[in-house]
């Protein structure tokens, strides 16, 4: 078995007309492509064998940004790879004898080479993209048409949300008219965004994909729930339950992402920092995140998920939904909003210093529904949306602290009986105590907010 890794150079600059093609460097976009792609390519083992690189400036700069310094010894410059003809590369490969070869080169040579080796090759091979092809051959001279199998294909937009988002187009809806008049278009836009984000979520190299995926599902669910609130439609109510189920399946992974991010950013005392290192806390939570990601991958790859999303698409593009939303009156939105604000304020009045955390969580969910109802008529409630978002943020901060304390307590308890963990446990107790103080402060802040009305 032979392994062939193809890497196209990152985006290059055409700014200097005086440079020959061979000398053109990477531009700013190309430089930004390197860091996120490096992590993905290294994880796949592309630099474990021999790496051959075109001697063009843009190819060498690409390799320098991708390959770790401890692998530099395996890199060889190959002027023959500065070619746009795949036949040249193919002939050169036939004389190799390594089991694993990585090529950093140019299009159309690499794209055409993949097209020859693979029965179903990717349609395009964008800048800084990467392919891993396996070949069931003993010698490279046996390489030929349709002999390869595609193991992995990654582009910068698959592993970096910044690259994914770079050319995204926003939905064009008149900001001066109520969203209630454009619900089908809005839900279709969010549906397409969910599907477009799925590859990045599945790859798992950038946490922002999951964050944006959750936002798209929550927005879709919130708009649909608002319509159900007013219309009582049973078909839409059933579909919302599916969205809710898939959204909730991402919560644990999201909480772990937030905790790992905060652990890297919090200004920790020395004993706490040492406790996190000696106890293996970061590795523990990173492993939990990997397990959660594997479970989420199974869900998003399942037949049930595809069925649910297909049914959701059919519903939001149906005449049935258009008929329902055409009947929505601004007065109905205001009436539903008034009802939910009344319920929210009744619960808020019952909150006090001794209230269980679940009561705050319940109020947070009520607040989200109020905000999304208000967004159905954003022009009318424009001045009230910012205070609602501020309230929602404070409740979100409280919930994050609640979850983080619980996770750290569970980890601390799992190592507390080990004799060599006395110092790490003490350091973890300091961190948990500090978070509890912050949580109490946020709770007190929420209690001063009072009711919405």
């Amino acid at each position: 078995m032979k392994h062939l890794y193809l890497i196209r150079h990152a985006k290059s600059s055409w700014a200097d007309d005086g440079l020959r093609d061979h000398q053109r460097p990477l531009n700013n976009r190309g430089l930004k492509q390197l860091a996120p792609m490096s992590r993905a390519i290294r994880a796949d083992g592309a630099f474990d064998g021999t790496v051959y690189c075109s001697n063009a400036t843009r190819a060498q700069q690409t390799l320098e940004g991708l390959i770790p310094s401890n692998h530099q010894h395996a890199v060889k410059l190959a002027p023959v790879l500065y070619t746009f003809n795949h036949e040249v590369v193919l002939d050169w490969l036939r004389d190799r004898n390594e089991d694993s070869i990585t090529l950093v080169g140019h299009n159309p040579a690499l794209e055409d080479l993949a097209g020859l080796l693979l029965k179903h090759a990717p349609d395009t091979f964008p800048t800084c993209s990467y392919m891993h092809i396996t070949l069931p051959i003993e010698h490279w001279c046996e390489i030929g048409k349709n002999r390869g199998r595609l193991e992995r294909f990654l582009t910068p937009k698959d592993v970096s949300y910044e690259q994914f988002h770079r050319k995204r187009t926003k939905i064009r809806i008149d900001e001066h008219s109520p969203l209630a008049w454009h619900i089908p278009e809005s839900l279709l836009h969010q549906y397409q965004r969910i599907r477009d984000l799925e590859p990045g979520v599945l790859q798992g190299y950038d946490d922002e994909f999951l964050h944006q995926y959750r936002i798209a599902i929550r927005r879709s669910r919130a708009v649909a729930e608002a319509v159900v609130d007013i219309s009582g439609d049973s078909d839409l109510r059933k579909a919302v339950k599916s969205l809710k189920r898939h959204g909730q399946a991402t919560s644990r992974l999201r909480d772990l992402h937030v905790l790992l991010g905060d652990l890297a950013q919090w200004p920790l005392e020395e004993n706490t920092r040492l406790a996190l290192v000696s106890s293996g806390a970061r590795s523990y939570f990173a492993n939990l995140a990997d397990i959660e990601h594997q479970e989420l991958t199974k869900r998003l790859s399942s037949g049930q998920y595809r069925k649910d999303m297909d049914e959701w698409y059919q519903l939001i593009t149906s005449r049935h939904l258009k008929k329902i939303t055409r009947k929505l009156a601004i007065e109905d939105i205001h009436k539903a909003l008034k009802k939910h604000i009344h319920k929210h304020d009744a619960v808020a009045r019952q909150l006090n210093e001794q209230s269980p955390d679940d009561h705050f969580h319940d109020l947070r969910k009520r607040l989200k529904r109020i905000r999304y109802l208000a967004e159905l008529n954003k022009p009318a409630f424009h001045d009230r949306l910012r205070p609602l978002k501020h309230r929602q943020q404070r409740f979100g901060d409280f919930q994050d602290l609640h979850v983080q304390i619980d996770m750290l307590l569970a980890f601390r308890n799992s190592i507390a009986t080990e004799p060599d963990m006395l110092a790490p446990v003490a350091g973890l107790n300091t961190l948990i105590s500090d978070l509890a103080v912050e949580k109490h402060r946020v709770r007190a802040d929420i209690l001063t907010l009072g009711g919405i009305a």
Side-chain angles (χ1 to χ4, degrees):
M1 179 71 72
K2 301 296 185 184
H3 294 265
L4 179 63
Y5 302 92
L6 305 180
I7 302 172
R8 184 183 173 192
H9 67 78
K11 191 72 175 176
S12 57
S13 172
W14 293 85
D16 190 344
D17 294 338
L19 290 178
R20 292 185 295 110
D21 179 78
H22 188 274
Q23 299 172 317
R24 287 193 295 108
L26 300 182
N27 64 13
N28 287 335
R29 178 182 155 199
L31 294 171
K32 289 180 180 179
Q33 291 174 326
L34 299 177
M37 285 300 293
S38 175
R39 179 185 170 193
I41 295 174
R42 285 188 285 119
D44 207 34
F47 299 132
D48 294 346
T50 307
V51 181
Y52 291 97
C53 182
S54 158
N55 62 354
T57 299
R58 57 189 182 276
Q60 293 187 64
Q61 284 186 327
T62 296
L63 185 59
E64 289 170 4
L66 293 177
I67 196 167
S69 57
N70 60 342
H71 282 71
Q72 295 285 350
H73 65 279
V75 175
K76 299 180 180 179
L77 285 184
V80 69
L81 295 180
Y82 177 61
T83 180
F84 311 111
N85 185 343
H86 73 284
E87 293 286 353
V88 173
V89 180
L90 190 65
D91 288 342
W92 177 81
L93 275 173
R94 290 192 173 111
D95 292 329
R96 309 270 59 82
N97 54 24
E98 302 94 334
D99 289 330
S100 173
I101 293 178
T102 299
L103 305 182
V104 183
H106 308 263
N107 261 8
L110 296 185
E111 184 176 318
D112 291 345
L113 177 63
L116 176 76
L117 299 179
L118 301 171
K119 189 172 183 179
H120 302 291
D123 293 334
T124 60
F125 196 30
T127 54
C128 210
S129 292
Y130 160 78
M131 280 191 217
H132 176 193
I133 299 172
T134 53
L135 298 138
I137 57 177
E138 188 174 350
H139 303 287
W140 285 101
C141 61
E142 302 169 44
I143 195 170
K145 186 174 182 180
N146 296 341
R147 296 300 304 272
R149 173 180 171 178
L150 182 63
E151 301 292 339
R152 186 176 291 262
F153 172 55
L154 292 175
T155 70
K157 71 175 186 178
D158 293 325
V159 301
S160 165
Y161 180 76
E162 180 184 357
Q163 295 294 320
F164 166 86
H165 188 65
R166 195 177 60 85
K167 284 192 174 182
R168 302 299 298 175
T169 55
K170 291 186 176 181
I171 185 172
R172 299 293 183 183
I173 288 180
D174 184 1
E175 294 183 358
H176 301 292
S177 64
L179 174 60
W181 298 353
H182 310 283
I183 286 173
E185 296 92 335
S186 177
L187 289 176
L188 182 59
H189 174 76
Q190 292 301 330
Y191 167 83
Q192 191 58 57
R193 184 162 174 77
I194 289 169
R195 305 317 302 265
D196 290 345
L197 286 161
E198 286 169 1
V201 175
L202 290 169
Q203 294 298 337
Y205 290 109
D206 188 340
D207 296 349
E208 189 63 20
F209 280 109
L210 180 69
H211 177 60
Q212 295 297 328
Y213 174 85
R214 282 169 53 81
I215 288 174
I217 282 197
R218 286 207 308 269
R219 283 180 176 166
S220 301
R221 176 186 156 194
V223 171
E225 283 181 338
V227 176
V228 170
D229 236 337
I230 298 168
S231 68
D233 184 73
S234 58
D235 290 338
L236 196 53
R237 190 188 304 276
K238 180 182 176 183
V240 166
K241 288 181 179 179
S242 294
L243 281 184
K244 181 178 180 180
R245 212 168 49 245
H246 294 306
Q248 287 176 335
T250 67
S251 296
R252 177 72 170 168
L253 181 54
R254 177 265 180 194
D255 290 338
L256 287 163
H257 284 171
V258 172
L259 176 60
L260 287 165
D262 286 346
L263 285 175
Q265 295 179 7
W266 280 331
L268 302 172
E269 296 180 9
E270 183 65 13
N271 69 320
T272 303
R273 187 185 63 78
L274 292 174
L276 290 172
V277 173
S278 58
S279 67
R282 286 193 177 92
S283 296
Y284 172 81
F285 290 117
N287 288 336
L288 284 183
D290 287 341
I291 293 170
E292 286 294 326
H293 181 256
Q294 290 170 18
E295 290 300 313
L296 182 59
T297 297
K298 290 179 185 176
R299 171 179 283 269
L300 297 191
S301 304
S302 69
Q304 184 60 54
Y305 178 79
R306 290 193 295 272
K307 180 175 179 289
D308 289 342
M309 295 308 292
D310 287 345
E311 290 178 352
W312 177 246
Y313 174 79
Q314 290 168 17
L315 178 60
I316 64 178
T317 56
S318 67
R319 293 177 65 185
H320 176 71
L321 181 68
K322 290 179 180 178
K323 184 178 179 181
I324 294 171
T325 55
R326 275 200 301 266
K327 292 180 179 179
L328 289 181
I330 298 301
E331 294 78 12
D332 294 331
I333 297 172
H334 292 199
K335 185 178 179 180
L337 194 56
K338 185 176 181 181
K339 179 184 72 174
H340 282 289
I341 289 175
H342 178 74
K343 289 181 179 178
H344 170 280
D345 288 357
V347 174
R349 283 193 293 270
Q350 302 299 317
L351 284 184
N352 56 55
E353 289 286 351
Q354 285 71 45
S355 295
D357 288 358
D358 286 350
H359 291 190
F360 286 81
H361 183 53
D362 175 64
L363 200 60
R364 182 173 71 96
K365 291 190 288 186
R366 292 178 181 275
L367 185 59
K368 280 199 295 186
R369 180 162 287 193
I370 289 168
R371 176 188 156 193
Y372 290 131
L373 268 170
E375 286 186 341
L376 287 180
N377 191 7
K378 190 178 286 187
F381 297 106
H382 181 267
D383 293 337
R384 302 187 71 173
L385 283 172
R386 181 172 291 181
L388 284 174
K389 289 180 182 178
H390 172 71
R391 283 174 178 265
Q392 194 175 340
Q393 182 61 54
R394 298 310 285 153
F395 278 97
D397 293 341
F398 183 84
Q399 181 65 15
D400 283 344
L401 288 164
H402 168 87
V403 170
Q404 289 172 347
I405 290 171
D406 278 358
M407 288 194 289
L408 288 167
L409 280 171
F411 174 70
R412 184 206 64 185
N413 293 341
S414 71
I415 65 170
T417 57
E418 299 176 26
D420 57 344
M421 286 292 166
L422 292 177
V425 166
L428 289 170
N429 283 338
T430 300
L431 175 58
I432 292 168
S433 177
D434 290 344
L435 293 179
V437 170
E438 177 63 14
K439 178 182 164 187
H440 181 78
R441 189 185 70 79
V442 175
R443 175 191 285 257
D445 188 23
I446 289 172
L447 292 175
T448 65
L449 294 175
I452 295 173

Coordinates of all heavy atoms in Angstrom, one line a residue, residues 110-151:
L110 N -1.9 19.0 -10.0 CA -2.3 18.2 -8.9 C -3.8 17.8 -9.1 O -4.2 16.6 -8.8 CB -2.1 18.9 -7.6 CG -0.7 19.2 -7.2 CD1 -0.6 19.8 -5.8 CD2 0.2 18.0 -7.3
E111 N -4.6 18.7 -9.5 CA -6.0 18.4 -9.7 C -6.2 17.3 -10.8 O -7.0 16.4 -10.7 CB -6.8 19.7 -10.1 CG -8.3 19.5 -10.2 CD -9.0 20.8 -10.5 OE1 -8.7 21.8 -9.9 OE2 -9.9 20.8 -11.4
D112 N -5.5 17.5 -11.9 CA -5.6 16.5 -13.0 C -5.0 15.1 -12.6 O -5.5 14.1 -13.0 CB -4.8 17.0 -14.2 CG -5.5 18.2 -14.9 OD1 -6.7 18.4 -14.6 OD2 -4.9 18.9 -15.7
L113 N -3.9 15.2 -11.8 CA -3.4 13.9 -11.3 C -4.4 13.2 -10.4 O -4.6 11.9 -10.6 CB -2.1 14.2 -10.4 CG -1.5 13.0 -9.8 CD1 -1.0 12.0 -10.9 CD2 -0.3 13.4 -8.9
A114 N -5.1 13.9 -9.5 CA -6.2 13.3 -8.7 C -7.3 12.7 -9.6 O -7.8 11.7 -9.4 CB -6.7 14.3 -7.7
G115 N -7.6 13.5 -10.7 CA -8.7 13.1 -11.6 C -8.3 11.8 -12.3 O -9.2 11.0 -12.7
L116 N -7.0 11.6 -12.6 CA -6.6 10.3 -13.2 C -6.6 9.2 -12.2 O -7.0 8.1 -12.6 CB -5.1 10.5 -13.7 CG -4.5 9.3 -14.3 CD1 -5.1 9.0 -15.7 CD2 -3.0 9.4 -14.4
L117 N -6.1 9.4 -11.0 CA -6.0 8.3 -10.0 C -7.3 7.9 -9.4 O -7.4 6.7 -9.0 CB -5.0 8.7 -8.9 CG -3.6 9.1 -9.3 CD1 -2.8 9.5 -8.1 CD2 -2.9 7.9 -10.0
L118 N -8.3 8.8 -9.3 CA -9.5 8.5 -8.6 C -10.7 8.4 -9.6 O -10.8 9.2 -10.6 CB -9.8 9.7 -7.7 CG -8.8 9.9 -6.6 CD1 -9.1 11.2 -5.8 CD2 -8.7 8.7 -5.6
K119 N -11.5 7.4 -9.3 CA -12.7 7.2 -10.2 C -13.7 8.4 -10.0 O -14.3 8.8 -11.0 CB -13.4 5.9 -9.9 CG -14.5 5.5 -10.8 CD -15.0 4.1 -10.6 CE -16.0 3.7 -11.6 NZ -16.5 2.3 -11.3
H120 N -13.8 8.8 -8.8 CA -14.7 10.0 -8.5 C -13.9 11.0 -7.7 O -13.9 11.1 -6.5 CB -15.9 9.5 -7.6 CG -16.7 8.5 -8.3 ND1 -17.5 8.7 -9.4 CD2 -16.9 7.1 -8.0 CE1 -18.1 7.6 -9.8 NE2 -17.7 6.6 -9.0
A121 N -13.2 11.8 -8.4 CA -12.3 12.9 -7.8 C -13.1 14.1 -7.5 O -14.2 14.3 -8.1 CB -11.2 13.2 -8.8
P122 N -12.7 14.9 -6.5 CA -13.4 16.2 -6.3 C -13.4 17.1 -7.5 O -12.5 17.0 -8.4 CB -12.5 16.8 -5.2 CG -11.8 15.7 -4.5 CD -11.6 14.6 -5.6
D123 N -14.4 17.9 -7.7 CA -14.6 18.7 -8.8 C -13.5 19.8 -8.9 O -13.1 20.1 -10.0 CB -16.0 19.4 -8.8 CG -17.1 18.4 -9.0 OD1 -16.8 17.3 -9.6 OD2 -18.2 18.6 -8.5
T124 N -13.1 20.3 -7.8 CA -12.1 21.3 -7.8 C -11.0 21.0 -6.7 O -11.3 20.2 -5.8 CB -12.7 22.7 -7.5 OG1 -13.3 22.7 -6.2 CG2 -13.7 23.1 -8.5
F125 N -9.9 21.7 -6.8 CA -8.8 21.6 -5.8 C -8.4 23.0 -5.5 O -7.3 23.5 -6.0 CB -7.7 20.7 -6.4 CG -6.8 20.2 -5.4 CD1 -7.2 19.9 -4.1 CD2 -5.4 20.0 -5.7 CE1 -6.3 19.4 -3.1 CE2 -4.5 19.5 -4.8 CZ -4.9 19.2 -3.5
P126 N -9.1 23.7 -4.6 CA -8.8 25.1 -4.3 C -7.4 25.3 -3.7 O -6.8 24.4 -3.3 CB -9.9 25.5 -3.3 CG -11.0 24.5 -3.5 CD -10.3 23.3 -3.9
T127 N -6.9 26.5 -3.6 CA -5.7 26.8 -3.0 C -5.6 26.3 -1.6 O -6.6 26.4 -0.8 CB -5.4 28.4 -3.0 OG1 -6.4 29.1 -2.4 CG2 -5.2 28.9 -4.4
C128 N -4.5 25.8 -1.2 CA -4.2 25.3 0.2 C -5.1 24.1 0.5 O -5.2 23.7 1.7 CB -4.3 26.4 1.2 SG -3.2 26.1 2.7
S129 N -5.6 23.4 -0.5 CA -6.4 22.2 -0.2 C -5.5 21.0 -0.1 O -4.4 21.1 -0.5 CB -7.5 22.0 -1.3 OG -8.4 23.0 -1.3
Y130 N -6.1 19.9 0.3 CA -5.3 18.8 0.7 C -6.1 17.5 0.3 O -7.3 17.4 0.6 CB -5.0 18.8 2.2 CG -4.6 17.5 2.8 CD1 -3.4 17.0 2.7 CD2 -5.5 16.8 3.6 CE1 -3.0 15.8 3.3 CE2 -5.2 15.6 4.2 CZ -3.9 15.1 4.1 OH -3.6 14.0 4.7
M131 N -5.4 16.5 -0.2 CA -5.9 15.2 -0.5 C -5.0 14.1 0.0 O -3.8 14.2 -0.1 CB -6.1 15.0 -2.0 CG -7.3 15.6 -2.6 SD -7.5 15.0 -4.3 CE -8.1 16.5 -5.1
H132 N -5.6 13.1 0.5 CA -4.9 11.9 0.9 C -5.4 10.7 0.1 O -6.6 10.4 0.1 CB -5.1 11.6 2.4 CG -4.5 10.3 2.9 ND1 -4.7 9.7 4.1 CD2 -3.5 9.4 2.2 CE1 -4.0 8.6 4.2 NE2 -3.3 8.4 3.1
I133 N -4.6 10.1 -0.8 CA -5.0 9.1 -1.7 C -4.1 7.8 -1.3 O -2.9 7.9 -1.2 CB -4.7 9.5 -3.1 CG1 -5.5 10.7 -3.5 CG2 -5.0 8.3 -4.1 CD1 -5.2 11.3 -4.9
T134 N -4.8 6.7 -1.2 CA -4.1 5.4 -1.0 C -4.1 4.6 -2.3 O -5.1 4.7 -3.0 CB -4.8 4.6 0.2 OG1 -6.2 4.4 -0.1 CG2 -4.5 5.2 1.5
L135 N -3.1 3.9 -2.5 CA -2.9 3.1 -3.8 C -2.6 1.7 -3.4 O -1.5 1.5 -2.8 CB -1.9 3.7 -4.7 CG -2.2 5.2 -5.1 CD1 -1.0 6.0 -5.1 CD2 -2.8 5.2 -6.5
P136 N -3.4 0.7 -3.7 CA -3.1 -0.7 -3.4 C -2.0 -1.3 -4.4 O -2.3 -2.2 -5.1 CB -4.4 -1.4 -3.5 CG -5.1 -0.6 -4.6 CD -4.7 0.8 -4.4
I137 N -0.8 -0.7 -4.3 CA 0.2 -1.1 -5.2 C 1.5 -1.4 -4.4 O 1.6 -0.9 -3.3 CB 0.5 -0.1 -6.3 CG1 0.9 1.3 -5.7 CG2 -0.7 0.1 -7.3 CD1 1.2 2.3 -6.7
E138 N 2.4 -2.2 -4.9 CA 3.7 -2.5 -4.2 C 4.8 -1.5 -4.7 O 5.6 -1.1 -3.9 CB 4.1 -3.9 -4.5 CG 5.3 -4.4 -3.7 CD 5.6 -5.8 -3.8 OE1 4.7 -6.6 -4.5 OE2 6.6 -6.3 -3.4
H139 N 4.7 -1.1 -5.9 CA 5.7 -0.2 -6.5 C 5.0 1.0 -7.2 O 4.0 0.8 -7.8 CB 6.6 -0.9 -7.5 CG 7.3 -2.1 -6.9 ND1 8.3 -2.1 -6.0 CD2 7.1 -3.5 -7.1 CE1 8.7 -3.3 -5.6 NE2 8.0 -4.2 -6.3
W140 N 5.7 2.1 -7.1 CA 5.1 3.3 -7.7 C 4.9 3.2 -9.3 O 4.1 3.9 -9.9 CB 5.9 4.6 -7.4 CG 5.7 5.0 -6.0 CD1 6.5 4.8 -4.9 CD2 4.6 5.7 -5.5 NE1 6.0 5.3 -3.8 CE2 4.8 5.9 -4.1 CE3 3.4 6.3 -6.0 CZ2 3.9 6.6 -3.3 CZ3 2.5 6.9 -5.2 CH2 2.8 7.1 -3.8
C141 N 5.7 2.3 -9.9 CA 5.6 2.2 -11.3 C 4.2 1.6 -11.7 O 3.9 1.6 -12.9 CB 6.7 1.3 -11.8 SG 6.7 -0.4 -11.2
E142 N 3.5 1.0 -10.8 CA 2.2 0.5 -11.0 C 1.1 1.5 -11.0 O -0.1 1.2 -11.2 CB 1.9 -0.6 -10.0 CG 2.9 -1.8 -10.0 CD 2.7 -2.7 -8.8 OE1 1.5 -3.0 -8.5 OE2 3.7 -3.0 -8.1
I143 N 1.4 2.7 -10.7 CA 0.4 3.8 -10.5 C -0.3 4.0 -11.9 O 0.4 3.9 -12.9 CB 1.1 5.1 -10.1 CG1 0.0 6.1 -9.6 CG2 2.0 5.7 -11.1 CD1 0.6 7.3 -8.9
G144 N -1.6 4.2 -11.8 CA -2.3 4.4 -13.1 C -3.7 4.8 -12.9 O -4.2 5.1 -11.8
K145 N -4.5 4.8 -13.9 CA -5.9 5.3 -13.9 C -6.8 4.5 -13.0 O -6.8 3.3 -13.0 CB -6.5 5.3 -15.4 CG -7.8 5.9 -15.5 CD -8.3 6.0 -16.9 CE -9.6 6.7 -17.0 NZ -10.1 6.8 -18.4
N146 N -7.5 5.3 -12.1 CA -8.5 4.7 -11.2 C -7.9 3.7 -10.2 O -8.6 2.9 -9.6 CB -9.6 4.1 -12.0 CG -10.5 5.0 -12.8 OD1 -10.4 6.2 -12.6 ND2 -11.2 4.5 -13.8
R147 N -6.6 3.8 -10.0 CA -5.9 2.9 -9.0 C -6.0 3.4 -7.6 O -5.8 2.7 -6.6 CB -4.5 2.7 -9.4 CG -4.2 2.0 -10.7 CD -4.8 0.6 -10.8 NE -4.4 -0.3 -9.7 CZ -3.3 -1.0 -9.8 NH1 -2.5 -1.0 -10.9 NH2 -3.0 -1.9 -8.8
G148 N -6.4 4.7 -7.4 CA -6.4 5.3 -6.1 C -7.7 5.3 -5.4 O -8.8 5.1 -6.0
R149 N -7.7 5.5 -4.1 CA -8.9 5.6 -3.3 C -8.7 6.9 -2.4 O -7.7 7.1 -1.8 CB -9.0 4.4 -2.3 CG -10.2 4.6 -1.3 CD -10.3 3.4 -0.4 NE -11.2 3.7 0.6 CZ -11.6 2.8 1.6 NH1 -11.1 1.6 1.5 NH2 -12.4 3.1 2.5
L150 N -9.7 7.8 -2.5 CA -9.7 9.0 -1.7 C -10.0 8.8 -0.3 O -11.1 8.4 0.1 CB -10.6 10.1 -2.3 CG -10.7 11.4 -1.7 CD1 -9.3 12.1 -1.9 CD2 -11.8 12.3 -2.3
E151 N -9.0 9.0 0.6 CA -9.2 8.9 2.0 C -9.7 10.1 2.7 O -10.4 10.1 3.7 CB -7.9 8.4 2.7 CG -7.3 7.1 2.1 CD -8.2 5.9 2.5 OE1 -9.0 6.0 3.5 OE2 -8.1 4.9 1.8

